[in-house]
Amino acid sequence: MTESDAARTNRPILAADIDLSDMAFLTVAEVAGVMRVSKMTVYRMVHSGELPAVRVGRSFRVPAKAVREYLSAAYVETQ
């Protein structure tokens, strides 16, 4: 059953409904290291919605795919 199937049947989405095999999460510190910015910059991006994240307890985890997509979209062509 997919997430959309669960939504149509008004059944809550369970962890078993989501394919986690291709999901990888990074800590804020790891994202900051990859992007070569400060952790505060990453926190600002998360809080502004510029970079999606999942809250786990008191910390955030950022999907690695979201970081790749953000960096791909941020490239600027120069002359």
Side-chain angles (χ1 to χ4, degrees):
M1 180 175 278
T2 66
E3 290 180 54
S4 59
D5 292 336
R8 277 192 300 257
T9 61
N10 292 327
R11 186 175 73 77
I13 299 171
L14 304 174
D17 296 331
I18 301 170
D19 181 21
L20 298 176
S21 62
D22 63 341
M23 292 190 119
F25 292 93
L26 302 172
T27 65
V28 168
E30 290 169 334
V31 174
V34 167
M35 296 177 74
R36 305 289 298 247
V37 297
S38 70
K39 289 191 301 185
M40 185 54 64
T41 298
V42 177
Y43 280 118
R44 284 188 197 113
M45 294 170 72
V46 167
H47 287 291
S48 71
E50 197 173 353
L51 192 61
V54 176
R55 187 161 201 138
V56 179
R58 295 179 60 193
S59 60
F60 290 98
R61 296 294 184 266
V62 181
K65 181 178 179 183
V67 175
R68 285 192 304 273
E69 289 172 355
Y70 179 85
L71 292 174
S72 293
Y75 278 100
V76 177
E77 293 291 325
T78 60
Q79 296 180 349

